[in-house]
Amino acid sequence: MTKSSEKVQELKDRAENAQKEIAAAQKEKGKKVDAVINSAKAEAKIRQDNFKANIAARKAVADSDWGTLQAEHNKRVEKIKNTIAAKKDAHDVKVANRRADDAEGYASASIDYALMAIDDAEIATLEAIDARVYAESLT
């Protein structure tokens, strides 16, 4: 399996796991939901820390602010798309390999971004379940 295929599989597995965690949390009450939320936040934090470390290792600037991260991501996407479109007919193997490396890096970063978005969606959903459980306990 290629690195990209492995990353997409990781994304699929993570989304399926989030779905299972949310379904299980909907059946739980109070402290059990809190434990699931805390666990999801801890796992998300680990993945986010790993993502940031990978970005730093590639000497890219990563900002913890989602808006900044997304803006940087969008600039990189546009640059790669422009480079690929402008040089598709290049015959130099070194240039072609460098462009392929850039495209693979973009794909990897996009999947990492999607993984973090799944983490945020899972945590938000779990917190909504917790809020609903609390609200129902007051009635």
Side-chain angles (χ1 to χ4, degrees), residues 2 11 19 21-22 27 41 44 60 62 72 83 117 129 133 136:
T2 67
L11 179 63
Q19 183 180 16
E21 291 289 332
I22 290 166
K27 297 175 184 175
K41 284 181 179 180
E72 290 172 4
T83 301
I129 291 168
V133 167
E136 289 174 355

Side-chain angles (χ1 to χ4, degrees), residues 3 6 14-15 23 25 30 38 54 58 65 68 103 114 119 129:
K3 186 175 181 178
E6 291 169 0
R14 181 69 195 107
N38 291 335
N54 288 337
R58 292 182 217 145
D65 178 42
T68 303
D119 288 337
I129 291 168

Side-chain angles (χ1 to χ4, degrees), residues 42-109:
E43 290 172 10
K45 175 81 170 109
I46 290 168
R47 277 188 290 279
Q48 288 173 359
D49 290 345
N50 288 339
F51 174 76
K52 288 176 186 176
N54 288 337
I55 294 295
R58 292 182 217 145
K59 297 184 181 181
V61 177
D63 189 350
S64 62
D65 178 42
W66 276 98
T68 303
L69 179 62
Q70 189 173 19
E72 290 172 4
H73 173 75
N74 289 339
K75 286 179 191 175
R76 189 175 7 181
V77 169
E78 194 59 36
K79 178 182 174 188
I80 291 169
K81 285 181 180 179
N82 290 338
T83 301
I84 290 171
K87 298 181 180 181
K88 246 184 182 175
D89 60 345
H91 298 289
D92 183 9
V93 173
K94 280 186 174 179
V95 173
N97 282 327
R98 193 175 15 217
R99 277 189 277 122
D101 290 343
D102 287 346
E104 289 170 347
Y106 160 65
S108 179

